[in-house]
Amino acid sequence: MPAGLQSAIANGERPTAADRRQMVRVLADEVKKLETNPTRAQCLTVSHNIVRQYPKSFADADTQETGAAACSSLLSQLKNRIEHLNRNNYLAHRRAQRAVAGAFRPMRGPTDTYGCTSWQPELATGETDDSLEEQRKRMEELFLQHGVAGGERGEVNQLMESTYCLQRRMINATPHPTIVDLRNKWPFLFIPRGIYTHFQLLTDKDVRRLMEHSMIEWSRPLIEYFKQKPTNKEVQSALPTDEANVAAYIVQLLLAHFKESKEGLVLKADATATAADVQQSLTLPTSPRLIVLGETQSWMLSIEGQVVCEGTSFLSGLAALFASYYNFNLQYQDEAACTLEFIQRCFIDINPERGTKTRQGKGVSKKTGREVQKKAHTVNPHVATLLRKLMDFKCFV
């Protein structure tokens, strides 16, 4: 610190403007060693501690207080200096990027950890970053040798579980990795078994088993409820005429009830289409979509406009689709947010007391078609209403 500033502090006097500016420069440099872009609250803590220790030298001249109100000018100087130093720093501006809709990928936050029991675990005893990286490279070798079929090998399953900590570290990183980058590093994370295993480690829920059990438990009550009490014309037209693919009918009924577009969750492609064909012929959105091939139950899963996974049962595809939102820290898209939350709460039994996977902020009203500020709800009221009515109805079925 400048000698003049040290002398002023010792004598209980106010330092000169030049000495104070030099002090702020030193403070900003020290703070940035610990945090590239500290929040205003963090800067307030630093400023408050200084004013509390040396009130005669740094408290605002127009106040006799020693609390937060007495350090507003010092806080402003410190925060402005840090922002000046960060003006060309990409990582430091990531907080501001969040406010630019669509320009950047969203920051990590409560939505990412929502419903998770092991979002970012610590290294297992006896493991190091180097040992986990060696295991990851071993899986890359196995994928090159055996392709997707290698995912059924017991060694791969064991390696996927032991490297789970490393997988989460990459997925949770900021800036966010792209799906392409993740797939290059973790190819077995993008096969059905890998998706289900990761989801179970993340949430302590067996998504495939729960989906199968829920369809057995809820398909008849759901179909009978909508037959007796169709909520709109779309529900009436979506009612099944046979039970060849109950899971697909259930999804259609839920989308129709919540007045959500089927294309908001499920797309159709030719029965003989390959992944390359699908990516060329369809405009694949950024948010996940389940792509059904013709009239078969074969499916593909797309994320960020890329086909990342394939399977042969609609129910297994639905499980993989749902798991992808949690595995890769994704929000439910507006086009199918209610349906996905219903599946989450009713079928998978994920019911956190706080938070939501639904995007907050402004959205388009289904009634007026205008952009409105969306209300924040822990449980979507439309989902809560249907769940309550179904529980009542189920007692009499």
Side-chain angles (χ1 to χ4, degrees), residues 263 265-271 273-286 289-294 299-302 304-307:
E263 289 71 26
L265 200 62
V266 181
L267 302 175
K268 293 203 72 172
D270 189 80
T274 64
D277 295 334
V278 168
Q279 290 180 180
Q280 290 179 358
S281 61
L282 297 179
T283 301
L284 299 177
T286 301
R289 292 294 190 279
L290 187 65
I291 303 160
V292 178
L293 304 182
W299 55 270
M300 297 179 185
L301 174 64
S302 74
E304 293 184 357
Q306 302 287 321
V307 173

Side-chain angles (χ1 to χ4, degrees), residues 109-117 119 202-203 322 325-326 329-330 332 341 344-345 350-358 377-380:
T111 297
D112 304 321
T113 59
Y114 175 79
C116 300
T117 58
W119 191 71
L202 179 64
T203 65
F322 181 81
Y325 292 95
Y326 284 80
N329 297 334
L330 304 175
Y332 299 151
E341 184 172 338
Q344 165 206 315
R345 295 185 179 280
I350 294 179
N351 291 284
E353 293 181 0
R354 300 179 63 184
T356 176
K357 270 282 188 184
T358 303
H377 297 286
T378 298
V379 183
N380 185 291

Side-chain angles (χ1 to χ4, degrees), residues 8 30 41 61 70 81 101 121 125 128 150 204 255 277 296 312 324 339 341 363:
E30 292 300 313
R81 175 62 182 171
T125 304
T128 65
D204 202 27
L255 288 166
D277 295 334
T296 70
T312 56
S324 67
T339 298
E341 184 172 338

Side-chain angles (χ1 to χ4, degrees), residues 44-272:
L44 174 61
T45 299
V46 175
S47 304
H48 186 204
N49 287 341
I50 293 171
V51 170
R52 184 173 56 186
Q53 190 168 356
Y54 307 111
K56 293 181 179 179
S57 298
F58 299 109
D60 286 357
D62 58 349
T63 179
Q64 299 300 315
E65 300 176 10
T66 58
C71 60
S72 59
S73 61
L74 182 58
L75 167 63
S76 179
Q77 280 184 290
L78 178 59
K79 186 62 177 169
N80 288 341
R81 175 62 182 171
I82 289 171
E83 289 178 353
H84 174 73
L85 294 173
N86 287 338
R87 62 192 182 280
N88 294 320
N89 188 320
Y90 171 78
L91 290 179
H93 281 283
R94 63 181 182 269
R95 199 173 289 116
Q97 292 170 0
R98 178 173 50 177
V100 184
F104 302 92
R105 296 164 65 83
M107 283 188 64
R108 300 299 182 216
T111 297
D112 304 321
T113 59
Y114 175 79
C116 300
T117 58
S118 183
W119 191 71
Q120 185 55 75
E122 300 293 331
L123 287 172
T125 304
E127 295 284 8
T128 65
D129 288 346
D130 291 338
S131 67
L132 293 181
E133 179 61 17
E134 287 300 316
Q135 294 177 56
R136 187 196 67 77
K137 289 179 178 178
R138 172 59 180 160
M139 284 191 285
E140 281 189 325
E141 294 174 2
L142 290 170
F143 188 79
L144 289 174
Q145 294 173 12
H146 305 285
V148 174
E152 299 303 318
R153 298 168 65 93
E155 181 185 3
V156 170
N157 194 52
Q158 186 274 325
L159 288 170
M160 285 295 289
E161 291 188 15
S162 62
T163 58
Y164 171 75
C165 168
L166 200 59
Q167 296 167 39
R168 292 309 305 172
R169 190 182 299 172
M170 182 174 180
I171 292 170
N172 296 340
T174 303
H176 300 198
T178 65
I179 289 297
V180 172
D181 290 338
L182 283 171
R183 199 177 180 193
N184 289 336
K185 288 276 190 178
W186 303 96
F188 289 119
L189 185 56
F190 293 88
I191 63 171
R193 185 172 181 176
I195 290 175
Y196 306 147
T197 298
H198 191 93
F199 183 84
Q200 185 163 6
L201 292 170
L202 179 64
T203 65
D204 202 27
K205 302 282 186 180
D206 186 336
V207 65
R208 177 72 185 272
R209 184 186 63 80
L210 285 170
M211 199 71 79
E212 291 174 347
H213 176 77
S214 295
M215 285 300 165
I216 294 172
E217 179 183 1
W218 286 99
S219 59
R220 182 167 171 261
L222 268 166
I223 292 172
E224 288 300 318
Y225 174 80
F226 285 123
K227 279 183 177 179
Q228 296 183 28
K229 302 178 180 181
T231 49
N232 54 50
K233 293 181 180 179
E234 289 77 12
V235 168
Q236 288 180 317
S237 61
L239 286 168
T241 56
D242 59 70
E243 296 186 2
N245 189 355
V246 173
Y249 283 128
I250 293 300
V251 171
Q252 290 181 45
L253 284 170
L254 290 172
L255 288 166
H257 169 74
F258 292 121
K259 297 182 180 179
E260 295 175 329
S261 167
K262 182 179 178 182
E263 289 71 26
L265 200 62
V266 181
L267 302 175
K268 293 203 72 172
D270 189 80
T272 59

